[in-house]
Amino acid sequence: MPDDHTPARHPGSGRRAARSVPKGRQIDPAATEEINQLLADMPRRRDLLIEYLHLIQDRHGHLSARHLAALAAELRMAQAEVYEVATFYAHFDLVHEGEPAPPPVTVRVCDSLSCAMAGAERLIDSLNLGPQVRVLRAPCVGRCDTAPIAEVGHYYIDHADAASVATAVAEHRHDPVVPAYIGLDAYRAAGGYALLERLRKDEITGEQVIDTLDKAGLRGCGGAGFPTARKWRSVLGVPGPRLMAVNGDEGEPGTIKDRYFLESDPHRVLEGMLIGAHVVAATDVYFYLRDEYQAAHIVLRRELDELKAAGLTDGLTIHLRRGAGAYICGEESAMIESIEGKRGLPRHKPPLPFQVGIFGQPSLINNVETLYWIRDLVERGPQWWLDQGRNGRKGLHTYSVSGRVVSPGVKTTPAGVTIRELIDEYCGGMLPGHRFKAYLPGGASGGILPASLGDIPLDFGMLEPHGAFIGSAAVVVLSDQDDMREAALNLMRFFEDESCGQCTPCRIGTEKAAKLMASKDWNKDLLAELSTAMRDASICGLGQAAPNPLLSVIKYFPEEVGLATGQGAPPPKPAVGIVT
């Protein structure tokens, strides 16, 4: 006999009877009511899908199939579209029908390079917190200077050990700690937003602003280093309406600078954002912030409300968007896809975002640190910037330093300092008992260089001949107590986990590379061939740059991977990193 979901046949007709229920998963009325209460009067727009998935998870602790089905119906989307987004991002916990909900408390322990060097594996092995707590590994959470890091809910524990984690769990510390920062009143009292008001009153023109950035030679500080003035002019050269995005999704292991700026002096970033939006006549700004930065999210939400109340955002709509745990969304086109409520899959280029960006409109995209410097550059003039620098380089540079140094953290120095100068003058030297051995000048994708190359200026264009690049200036310092093979393997496993899976060279290449690198003796020829395929055929900077660490180790530390001295590969030609 047919059940309620099987269409019956009319006797003698050969035709199927009408279904008693629609095809596919049925919508639970109770789930629909819960979704309606949660969304309340918020707009039912597809581009807000990720925001609404966060709302569900924040309320219920996970995403259930019944809620996804109800949300899909509310947004008039196919359930498959909602499901593919929910399963793409690492921070969404999807529970299928018949599966138990996750434990009420989740502890995440970062196992990326800086935390691994500080004992993350020992920490993970030591955690025995009972059945009501699950312990997960996490990629870099942007607190590399206080490694190892554990996260209970959204509460971060610096220099974590088993006792401090157990205490945080027992005391129900789940909420982020918002640090002291410069608020709107204090910022305006020191001259903040005067430049923006001059610009809006036509006392200074947009072209003058761009010309200042051009003369100073300011470059993007997110990784690619594209000239800022050229980017702004490119957007202006395309007919509007235009949009703008702020890339606050730094996820490169070792990178902590954007969080530092947002949690200490957020209005300097926001004023740079508003200046950029005014110059290119953007109607909307999308501030995309990684989900790990919950304290910065609170700061931004609070201060954006203050700006609106003060009338400083009149005529401009600012959208604060929350990432969901995907390193790939630091790539600008993947970030655009995520802003539009989709999986963060990088787009094929051309067209470039300044031509076809968010919702198909020409879009200006800048990194947090890039915007941080706008006010100082325009107020002080390009010569102030050009008068900075060292070793023949110009300007200032902000380095995120972690690893085997006495005083890690965010260091703003003259551009062009060497790693030795950075360690000795700004980081208090190496840790006692550690001898400088190697360093990552540009995070996971920037390659690994030996101490013998410690006198190269850390600036754009200076490291490429040696198979590395400055990228986002995430500097990780390694010592004689670190294993170069294990360091490179840690980085490759990060890329394997974070590959979006869209293209085969990256998806399969990172997996195969990690397996080959786990061997005692590396197959240099096979790894070199695999690296060439990844660099030449991957869609974006993740797959293109992933081989940099392994090729660096083969070149500079062949004895540590089972190769005789002199059998190393030639210096790799570095790819551009993933972030903007």
Side-chain angles (χ1 to χ4, degrees), residues 437 448 450 452 483-485 519-524 527 549-570:
K437 177 180 180 180
I448 304 175
S452 60
D483 185 321
M484 295 300 103
R485 178 178 62 181
S519 301
K520 178 181 178 182
D521 296 332
W522 286 9
N523 187 326
K524 180 192 73 172
L527 281 169
L550 80 88
L551 293 174
S552 298
V553 169
I554 290 174
K555 171 61 181 177
Y556 297 114
F557 304 95
E559 69 283 356
E560 295 198 27
V561 292
L563 299 174
T565 303
Q567 286 188 330

Side-chain angles (χ1 to χ4, degrees), residues 44-76:
R44 271 50 169 177
R45 299 204 319 259
R46 297 164 65 100
D47 64 290
L48 293 172
L49 172 60
I50 295 172
E51 296 297 309
Y52 294 158
L53 291 174
H54 276 304
L55 289 178
I56 297 171
Q57 178 148 308
D58 290 345
R59 173 69 61 85
H60 299 282
H62 63 279
L63 302 178
S64 65
R66 57 192 288 272
H67 283 137
L68 292 188
L71 180 62
E74 192 66 21
L75 298 180
R76 298 179 181 271

Side-chain angles (χ1 to χ4, degrees), residues 419-420 436-443 446-459 462-470 475-479 484 491 548-549 551-553 555-557 571-572 574:
I419 184 63
R420 293 188 189 278
F436 177 40
K437 177 180 180 180
Y439 66 107
L440 281 68
I448 304 175
L449 295 180
S452 60
L453 295 177
D455 297 317
I456 305 169
L458 295 174
D459 201 10
M462 303 304 294
L463 301 162
E464 282 78 355
H466 306 282
F469 62 90
I470 191 65
V475 178
V476 183
V477 180
L478 296 92
S479 78
M484 295 300 103
L491 300 174
N548 287 347
L551 293 174
S552 298
V553 169
K555 171 61 181 177
Y556 297 114
F557 304 95

Side-chain angles (χ1 to χ4, degrees), residues 297-466:
H297 192 281
I298 293 171
V299 169
L300 284 174
R301 179 65 67 193
R302 182 185 298 165
E303 298 309 309
L304 286 171
D305 287 345
E306 293 284 334
L307 284 179
K308 185 175 182 180
L312 289 168
T313 61
D314 289 352
L316 183 68
T317 304
I318 301 173
H319 312 264
L320 182 56
R321 292 295 175 87
R322 178 178 167 189
Y327 165 71
I328 191 64
C329 290
E331 196 277 336
E332 60 182 7
S333 66
M335 179 188 68
I336 291 172
E337 291 288 296
S338 191
I339 287 172
E340 295 178 359
K342 297 179 285 189
R343 295 176 294 167
L345 301 180
R347 296 177 177 178
H348 291 271
K349 302 172 185 178
L352 296 170
F354 80 85
Q355 300 164 311
V356 180
I358 307 167
F359 305 120
Q361 301 298 326
S363 302
L364 173 64
I365 300 176
N366 282 131
N367 165 261
V368 166
E369 187 192 350
T370 307
L371 297 172
Y372 177 88
W373 290 116
I374 299 299
R375 175 190 165 191
D376 277 334
L377 263 171
V378 179
E379 287 185 344
R380 301 184 185 213
Q383 194 58 47
W384 164 78
W385 184 262
L386 295 172
D387 286 342
Q388 315 292 327
R390 188 182 291 187
N391 298 316
R393 312 305 294 171
K394 302 293 184 182
L396 296 171
H397 218 122
T398 301
Y399 303 92
S400 305
V401 186
S402 61
R404 309 298 192 179
V405 294
V406 171
S407 177
V410 175
K411 313 293 180 179
T412 299
T413 78
V417 297
T418 67
I419 184 63
R420 293 188 189 278
E421 293 168 338
L422 188 62
I423 292 172
D424 294 340
E425 297 179 32
Y426 295 90
C427 299
M430 296 292 293
L431 285 171
H434 289 261
R435 180 174 55 84
F436 177 40
K437 177 180 180 180
Y439 66 107
L440 281 68
S445 56
I448 304 175
L449 295 180
S452 60
L453 295 177
D455 297 317
I456 305 169
L458 295 174
D459 201 10
F460 296 111
M462 303 304 294
L463 301 162
E464 282 78 355
H466 306 282

